[in-house]
Amino acid sequence: MSLPPLPEHYQPQRVGEVWRVPYQERVDEAIVWREQQSISAATDDAQRVGLLLIDVQNTFCIPDFELFVGGRSGQGAVEDNRRLCEFIYRNLGQITQIVATLDTHTVTQIFHPVFWVDAAGEHPAPFTVISADEVERGTWRVNPTAATLTPNGAAWLQDYAAHYVKTLTQNSKYPLVIWPYHGILGGIGHALVSAVEEACLFHNVVRSSPTHLEQKGSNPLTENYSALRPEVETDHTGQAIAVPNAAFLERLLRFDRLIVAGQAQSHCVAWTVSDLLSELRSLRPEFIERVYLLEDCTSAVVAPEADFTSQATAAFAEFAAAGMHRVRSTEAMTRWPGMAS
């Protein structure tokens, strides 16, 4: 059986660029496409299939942006998104809804340089790893100006910061990495990749199914790799500073099947799927085998300071061992285990 055609507007050579999507033109084309390809509205789907796109944003996916996920090929996220766009266009009639998370930050957050200072008042360089011992010794201290983030004052924030880095270690999380400023709300890096935004818009109109956008990561006092749960939930006194995103979990569980793609495989994808797996084991164990990981539409963080490919590979192996499916975008969805035709 031949693959469905790709719309003429799709330009794979531009996936790694930022440009304005011509909304009206694409809407008009999508209406015609729906009729030409005889694609029905998503409300008619007997099997509701959700496509979860994790942080497919300029900040992670466009070369020369702040945290481009190049993977070992050096062009990882660009190559991933070419395959992702084509997957969306080829499977318009089978994807019920697209759900996209947006890593959403402000300048002064616990993982950005300006939050911390050393004895000379200098901020840590991007990709600095801050350990609990360094905070305890005073090698790195909370910038006094960051006290405006909480009504509890600078002393409380310093105690909290020490608690935070210790908790990451105790919970077997990644250590605190100081990331370059990225995903700043309102900035161009925060936006969806243009080609992916265009594909989502096209799907929206063809299927009469609005794309759902879910922001994560705006709490200044914790990292939020996972779309379902912050890295740290309580302060040093036991009080809650952040809570799991139960509403978003509920949204994902409304689907009959869930496909996952995005960036980065080693970080936000891995932690989101890990938290999803934990929740499913207690709430909906039968749903585990209904999750499909698009392993050719995601890449690991590879930087001079660290290569997280092995961690990403190990995470996906764990998810597969638990019953989730590792699939490729170039395979017909009808051939995936448990996916109805």
Side-chain angles (χ1 to χ4, degrees):
M1 184 175 67
S2 61
L3 291 171
L6 295 171
E8 289 185 3
H9 68 253
Y10 172 60
Q11 300 181 62
Q13 72 276 12
R14 297 197 65 196
V15 171
E17 302 173 7
V18 177
W19 37 272
R20 181 186 67 83
V21 176
Y23 297 133
Q24 188 62 61
E25 292 177 34
R26 294 298 171 262
V27 169
D28 293 343
E29 291 171 11
I31 293 171
V32 173
W33 189 266
R34 179 178 61 205
E35 300 304 319
Q36 289 178 338
Q37 303 297 322
S38 300
I39 300 175
S40 61
T43 51
D44 296 335
D45 289 354
Q47 178 177 258
R48 287 178 48 78
V49 177
L51 174 59
L52 173 60
L53 306 183
I54 297 174
D55 300 356
V56 186
Q57 299 162 267
N58 293 328
T59 197
F60 302 115
C61 299
I62 302 298
D64 297 327
F65 269 63
E66 300 88 0
L67 277 173
F68 175 61
V69 181
R72 286 186 172 172
S73 74
Q75 288 292 310
V78 174
E79 297 163 346
D80 296 336
N81 286 337
R82 287 195 188 108
R83 289 185 285 265
L84 176 60
C85 288
E86 292 173 18
F87 175 79
I88 293 171
Y89 289 128
R90 301 279 193 199
N91 296 282
L92 286 169
Q94 293 175 269
I95 300 169
T96 305
Q97 186 180 35
I98 299 173
V99 176
T101 68
L102 296 170
D103 210 32
T104 305
H105 303 316
T106 55
V107 171
T108 309
Q109 296 199 236
I110 200 166
F111 47 80
H112 277 161
V114 75
F115 188 93
W116 299 89
V117 291
D118 61 15
E122 298 294 327
H123 304 303
F127 302 108
T128 298
V129 176
I130 293 183
S131 69
D133 286 343
E134 288 175 315
V135 176
E136 185 174 336
R137 293 197 307 268
T139 304
W140 294 110
R141 295 185 54 82
V142 174
N143 185 345
T145 64
T148 57
L149 296 174
T150 171
N152 298 316
W156 180 95
L157 191 57
Q158 183 63 42
D159 290 342
Y160 170 77
H163 158 81
Y164 183 85
V165 290
K166 288 179 183 177
T167 301
L168 292 177
T169 301
Q170 292 168 356
N171 293 347
S172 300
K173 300 285 189 177
Y174 286 141
L176 176 62
V177 176
I178 302 304
W179 297 109
Y181 300 104
H182 67 285
I184 303 298
L185 180 62
I188 195 169
H190 183 255
L192 288 175
V193 169
S194 300
V196 174
E197 180 196 5
E198 183 176 54
C200 290
L201 173 74
F202 203 75
H203 173 271
N204 183 338
V205 177
V206 169
R207 300 305 316 278
S208 299
S209 177
T211 303
H212 175 80
L213 299 175
E214 185 77 18
Q215 294 189 16
K216 70 177 182 67
S218 58
N219 189 317
L221 299 183
T222 179
E223 297 152 289
N224 216 135
Y225 293 126
S226 170
L228 296 174
R229 183 182 297 274
E231 296 298 283
V232 173
E233 297 178 33
T234 59
D235 66 18
H236 49 293
T237 70
Q239 297 298 306
I241 59 107
V243 296
N245 193 341
F248 189 53
L249 174 64
E250 181 182 348
R251 173 178 288 277
L252 297 180
L253 295 185
R254 292 175 194 159
F255 296 112
D256 300 308
R257 300 289 187 272
L258 183 65
I259 306 166
V260 184
Q263 303 303 335
Q265 182 186 15
S266 52
H267 288 72
C268 296
V269 173
W271 287 118
T272 298
V273 176
S274 179
D275 284 341
L276 176 62
L277 178 58
S278 295
E279 295 291 347
L280 292 178
R281 279 173 166 155
S282 60
L283 297 175
R284 295 274 301 279
E286 76 283 358
F287 197 94
I288 295 174
E289 64 181 15
R290 301 175 189 175
V291 178
Y292 301 81
L293 308 175
L294 276 179
E295 61 181 355
D296 63 341
C297 294
T298 185
S299 293
V301 170
V302 177
E305 299 79 8
D307 181 341
F308 288 90
T309 303
S310 60
Q311 291 93 325
T313 301
F316 267 46
E318 176 188 343
F319 303 148
M324 295 179 176
H325 304 285
R326 299 171 68 171
V327 296
R328 300 187 71 80
S329 64
T330 51
E331 300 169 342
M333 283 176 58
T334 53
R335 294 186 178 181
W336 294 357
M339 185 71 76
S341 59

